[in-house]
Each structure stands twice: as C-alpha cells, then as structure tokens.
Amino acid sequence: MASVFFTLLLLYATGVSGVPQLEPLNVTVLRGSEARFNISLSEEWYSMSWMLKTVLVLTINSGTGVSEHNRRFAVTNYSSADIYCWEFIIRDVWRNDTGDVSCGVQEKPTQTAQLFVQESGTVRIVGGNMTVAQGHQAIFRCEASGWFPKPTVSWVVDGVVVDQNSYNSSSEALDGLYNSISLLTVRGVNSVQVKCLASVSALTTPLSSSFYLVVEPHDWTVLIAVVCSIGGFALLVLLILGIVFCCKRRKEAKSSYQKEMGRTGSQIQMSGGAVGQKQGKENPAYVIDGQTTGVTHSEFNDSGYIQTNYTKHFEIPDLVNGNQAANGHASAYNILGGTGVRKHRHVTIV
Ligand SMILES: *[C@@H]1O[C@H](CO)[C@@H](O)[C@H](O)[C@H]1NC(C)=O
Ligand SMILES: *[C@@H]1O[C@H](CO)[C@@H](O)[C@H](O)[C@H]1NC(C)=O
Ligand SMILES: *[C@@H]1O[C@H](CO)[C@@H](O)[C@H](O)[C@H]1NC(C)=O
Ligand SMILES: *[C@@H]1O[C@H](CO)[C@@H](O)[C@H](O)[C@H]1NC(C)=O
Ligand SMILES: *[C@@H]1O[C@H](CO)[C@@H](O)[C@H](O)[C@H]1NC(C)=O
Ligand SMILES: *[C@@H]1O[C@H](CO)[C@@H](O)[C@H](O)[C@H]1NC(C)=O
C-alpha cells in the first residue's frame, strides 16, 4: 500500500506533473571531495543544463550528448525505460563552490539545491606529553587551525568523553577560516591518554591529536615520608610518655610499698619479737570490763584469736609452728588460770 502510494507520489512529482525532481536538496561536502545531485523526469526532453551558482557549467542534448565546460563537472546516465535520470557530479569542490546548484530542463521550472563546502583543518595538542606530580593539575591546550565552519572541539581522556563544561574553547576567524583553542584541565590521578578531537559535519571521522598525561607518584613518596615521620615522632613521644608514666607509677608504687613494707616490717619485728620468745606474750594490763573469773579454755582456742586479732600476721612465714603456738596458748592459759585474775591476753599466732 505504501509502495503504491509512493509510486503514485513519484509519478505525480515526475511524470504526471512533468516537473523534474532534483535531489538531494542540501549537500555538504569537504573541500576537494565530490558533490553529486540527481535529476529525474518522466517526460521526453531534449535539452538539460546545469548551473553552479549563476554559471552554466554543463549541458546535455538528448541527441548530441554531453558538452562540459570544465573538467570538474560530469554527468552519469542512469536512465531506464520508465524514467530519465541523470546524476550531476562536481569533482574537487572549492570553497567558493558553496551556493546554488540548479538544473533546468527546457522551459520547465528550474530546480535548485544547496551546496555547502566545508574545510577540514588541523588539530594538535600543544606541548606534547605532560608530566605532573600526583594530585596536581595539567592544562592541555588544543589548537584546531584552518577549519570552516567553526570546528567542534572535544576531549577524550582515558577513553571517556569529557563533559562540555569541563573545558573552554574559543575561536577566531582568519581569512574565512576558523582557528579554535581549547583548554582542558586534567587532575593527575594516574597516567592517561588525552585526546583532542576536532570535527565539522562533513567529516565522517574527527581529526585527533593525542598525548599522554604522565603522573609521577612523587607527591606520594613525600606524603608517605611526611606521614611516616609524623607517625614515628608521635609513636616516639607516646613511648617516652609511656616510659615516664610507668617510671613514675613504679616509683610511687615503690614508695608506698616501702611505706607499707616499713609498717609490715615493724609489725614483723613486733611479732618477730614475740616469735623470738617462741611463746605468746601476755598482756597483763589488758582488762575487759564485765568479764568474770570463769575464763574457760574454749575462749583461747586458735580460731578465736585468728578471727579477732592480727589477721595480717598470717602473712608472716611460719617461723613458729603450730605446736609452739599451742604451747603458747597453753602456757598463757596456765598463767591466767594460775593467777585467776580477769585478764584478757592477746597472743600472736604466727
Ligand atoms: C543544509 O545544510 C546546512 C549545513 O549542513 C544547514 O545549515 C542547513 O540548515 C541545511 N538546509 C536545509 C534546508 O536542510
Ligand atoms: C542518483 O541515482 C542513482 C540511480 O538511482 C543512484 O545510484 C545514485 O546514488 C543517486 N545519486 C545521488 C547523489 O543520490
Ligand atoms: C541514457 O541511458 C539510456 C538507457 O540506457 C539510453 O537510452 C539513452 O540513450 C542515454 N542517453 C544518453 C544521452 O546517452
Ligand atoms: C574559487 O577558488 C579557486 C581556488 O580555490 C580559485 O581558483 C577560483 O578563481 C575561485 N573562483 C571564484 C569565482 O572566486
Ligand atoms: C608520549 O608518551 C607516549 C607513551 O608514553 C610515547 O609513546 C610517545 O612517544 C611520547 N611522545 C612524545 C612526543 O614524547
Ligand atoms: C573557562 O573560562 C572561564 C572564563 O575565562 C573561567 O572562569 C573558567 O574557569 C574556565 N573553565 C575551564 C574549565 O577552564
């Protein structure tokens, strides 16, 4: 259905109306390349002329053939039984060819298309490979010269297209050609390839210039050295502080220990004195009120003394054995029992 429609449309455009069909209507090519246009018509014709801007460059006579006025212009016959079709070719197009391309078939309305000729210039990153210390920035300068129209300059860093807002481009026109400068700032993280691309629409593959950003890990070593030295210094300070603290504490502990030891020593001496006598010493002056004469043996058992007095004295080595202690108790009791006085004796068990 669609093909039928388009066939009818083509018939209307070419055969039915008799108006020649020129296509394409807009051709953009690079200087030095070829530009091609087709004219097709269904009606019988005898004379066809092609014009570039206002200059007649080629004529075709159905009887006598092609008469070119310049070797840059040529035609190819694509005619078939149904349709007359001629291709017009402009070779080695010039910048000043930009303009109208028209085809006139006898007295039929002239068909006009547009020809745009672009210029592909050069692109280069100025300065070549750049070396920066890690973390520092490198500014790449790309120069695109001799382009028409204004070239599109873009950057690719490490295979990734750089966002347009990340670089600045400026252009100036000189003798009808554009020179562009683009500046890209790259932070040195690791070594990457930096590519500058310049293009115009007629160029299928952009022209490019690439160099390397070489990142030296110089700053790292410095940083590591600084960190290490600071860390080392801090560690040293900590160590010294620790040692001083430890010494101080030990000294304090020693002094308190000595104090303690002094006390204990005297106690030991005291008890030692008691031990030296190898018998529990009586304290005849010690009187407990309310205590009656009936001091029984049970009050002087070992556990009673242990729990009530001189518990600390158990730390003292067993200079006196149990028998001696028992003897002490016994003698003390005997003394007590002998006198019959209400006295409470304190015996040191060691
Ligand atoms: C023809 O191409 C040029 C350049 O590519 C463009 O500026 C212009 O708008 C186009 N014209 C038409 C009618 O498509
Ligand atoms: C012109 O028409 C011929 C035949 O259909 C085709 O081969 C050629 O590519 C056309 N040229 C252009 C510029 O469209
Ligand atoms: C163009 O080609 C057609 C078909 O091949 C042929 O009939 C016709 O004579 C040719 N025209 C010229 C001027 O060569
Ligand atoms: C167009 O430019 C070419 C060279 O590029 C030159 O030879 C020619 O004279 C110029 N034509 C016009 C009309 O300026
Ligand atoms: C830039 O660096 C690359 C890779 O390191 C090297 O192959 C190339 O020769 C260098 N170019 C210049 C101009 O130094
Ligand atoms: C682009 O230029 C403007 C003004 O000169 C400046 O403020 C901005 O920082 C530049 N940007 C880059 C990515 O160089």
Side-chain angles (χ1 to χ4, degrees), residues 31 53 55 72 92-97:
R31 181 185 59 83
K53 295 196 270 190
V55 180
R72 286 174 61 221
D92 184 26
V93 294
W94 295 338
R95 281 285 314 286
N96 55 21
D97 287 340

Side-chain angles (χ1 to χ4, degrees), residues 7-22:
T7 308
L8 285 173
L9 195 73
L10 191 72
L11 281 173
Y12 172 80
T14 58
V16 177
S17 73
V19 175
Q21 200 68 28
L22 178 66

Side-chain angles (χ1 to χ4, degrees), residues 10-78:
L10 191 72
L11 281 173
Y12 172 80
T14 58
V16 177
S17 73
V19 175
Q21 200 68 28
L22 178 66
E23 61 167 16
L25 291 172
N26 202 352
V27 172
T28 304
V29 292
L30 287 176
R31 181 185 59 83
S33 63
E34 289 182 346
R36 294 165 181 261
F37 299 87
N38 268 356
I39 190 92
S40 42
L41 64 162
S42 56
E43 280 186 2
E44 197 85 46
W45 60 279
Y46 55 89
S47 168
M48 182 190 286
S49 55
W50 286 90
M51 281 173 289
L52 179 56
K53 295 196 270 190
T54 52
V55 180
L56 180 70
V57 291
L58 189 139
T59 52
I60 309 164
N61 188 292
S62 56
T64 57
V66 180
S67 65
E68 72 227 20
H69 302 263
N70 189 305
R71 297 198 65 158
R72 286 174 61 221
F73 307 102
V75 284
T76 305
N77 185 3
Y78 285 111

Side-chain angles (χ1 to χ4, degrees), residues 144-167:
S145 307
W147 295 77
F148 185 88
K150 203 184 285 184
T152 305
V153 179
S154 59
W155 294 86
V156 171
V157 174
D158 200 20
V160 178
V161 178
V162 177
D163 186 79
Q164 273 188 354
N165 301 319
S166 305
Y167 54 86

